[in-house]
Amino acid sequence: MEITTQQFKHCDMVNVKGRVDSYTAPQLADALEAINKDGRFKIVIDMNELEYMSSAGFRVLLIGQRNCKHYNRGEIVLARVPKNIYDAFELTGFTPLFKMFDDETSAVGNF
Amino acid sequence: MRTVIFPAHFDQLDAIRRFVTQAARDVGLAEKDVCAVEMAVDEACSNIIEHAYRSSKGVIECTCECADDALTVVLRDYAAPFDPANVPPPDLSDDLEERKIGGLGVYLMRQLMDEIHYETDATTGNVLTMVKRRGGEE
């Protein structure tokens, strides 16, 4: 798994590439926490190059969303969610918890 | 039938997933069913490593039985028993603040596979058997 982050004026973009499982999910948690520690809570996670995500990744997203939405200070939105991962989100009731966008521009434009 | 013995460590999950997805493709499962097997086995092994072995060393013996119409994955471990049937159903509520975290792995295994059995025996270890049928329901 590879994570790159990019800071924009109104939000941060996190690009997650590869596979998020119990082994790699802590790195995603660290990346989200590092952004929060900077006092930034508006985050786009671009999943275009995400190949796989297990429930370990779902847990990181859920905790991250809770932290970001606290005090209405922000939120995590998802861009370009691959079909197989979207299906697993649906099974686990995740789709109502995250706004999802078909491209990164409109995801960033949400903030 | 093929068996590979993996160390019970999270860094093996990638190799375990590659092993079972290859078997799933050999059986001729549809791509969405290959993804289902990949995820269900990952969730099962993650639970064995996290909740059965905890931080102790051990192995997971992974066997794939390819039949004409189904793939059977058998996971054997020698840790404390961890019966998925004892895991309460997850909280799937859309209330972000109230929603409890946990239990998603077992829930996904049940949703994604056609059959799941668990047996435990002090000498032969714990055996989790999961079946995915070709063209079966998710």
Side-chain angles (χ1 to χ4, degrees):
Chain A
M1 187 195 59
E2 214 176 289
I3 296 177
T4 49
T5 60
Q6 214 181 334
Q7 204 175 95
F8 293 113
K9 194 175 174 193
H10 296 292
C11 68
D12 287 67
M13 170 94 84
V14 178
N15 192 295
V16 193
K17 194 174 169 179
R19 309 183 145 247
V20 179
D21 60 15
S22 296
Y23 186 54
T24 57
Q27 292 170 50
L28 177 60
D30 290 348
L32 296 177
E33 271 172 38
I35 294 169
N36 290 165
K37 275 198 182 129
D38 261 358
R40 301 172 65 89
F41 301 94
K42 294 172 180 168
I43 301 174
V44 175
I45 300 181
D46 184 5
M47 298 190 165
N48 189 42
E49 292 178 281
L50 184 63
E51 292 164 25
Y52 174 81
M53 185 179 264
S54 76
S55 70
F58 296 5
R59 280 198 292 276
V60 169
L61 292 180
L62 192 64
I63 293 166
Q65 184 68 305
R66 225 175 252 177
N67 289 339
C68 287
K69 280 200 161 180
H70 213 203
Y71 310 120
N72 277 326
R73 58 194 175 184
E75 73 174 311
I76 293 174
V77 303
L78 310 178
R80 304 195 284 183
V81 181
K83 171 87 172 72
N84 57 333
I85 294 163
Y86 182 86
D87 289 347
F89 281 163
E90 278 222 304
L91 272 181
T92 48
F94 262 61
T95 40
L97 304 178
F98 295 88
K99 282 185 201 159
M100 299 191 206
F101 296 90
D102 292 338
D103 61 280
E104 335 95 277
T105 318
S106 42
V108 171
N110 171 68
F111 292 113
Chain B
M1 194 169 94
R2 4 179 164 160
T3 300
V4 176
I5 299 174
F6 296 94
H9 192 276
F10 286 149
D11 67 5
Q12 296 297 308
L13 290 171
D14 198 44
I16 294 170
R17 288 194 306 264
R18 272 185 275 129
F19 175 60
V20 295
T21 50
Q22 184 58 53
R25 291 200 174 98
D26 292 348
V27 168
L29 295 186
E31 201 49 36
K32 75 171 175 53
D33 293 336
V34 173
C35 289
V37 169
E38 176 180 34
M39 190 166 205
V41 172
D42 175 319
E43 298 293 347
C45 291
S46 295
N47 278 339
I48 292 169
I49 295 164
E50 189 174 349
H51 301 297
Y53 282 112
R54 298 185 185 167
S55 48
S56 64
K57 281 190 180 170
V59 294
I60 299 174
E61 293 174 17
C62 181
T63 301
C64 291
E65 295 170 21
C66 303
D68 285 347
D69 58 344
L71 171 71
T72 302
V73 181
V74 182
L75 300 171
R76 187 188 295 270
D77 71 74
Y78 302 93
F82 179 76
D83 187 345
N86 295 335
V87 176
D91 183 350
L92 300 179
S93 119
D94 60 3
D95 184 329
L96 184 69
E97 286 302 316
E98 296 298 319
R99 181 168 166 153
K100 289 183 191 67
I101 291 168
L104 278 184
V106 171
Y107 174 79
L108 280 165
M109 284 156 56
R110 293 191 186 293
Q111 295 291 314
L112 297 169
M113 300 300 278
D114 293 312
E115 278 178 47
I116 293 183
H117 312 283
Y118 184 79
E119 280 169 58
T120 182
D121 183 294
T123 47
T124 57
N126 309 308
V127 179
L128 178 68
T129 306
M130 300 194 283
V131 180
K132 188 73 184 174
R133 279 186 282 276
R134 206 159 62 181
E137 284 176 36
E138 274 184 20

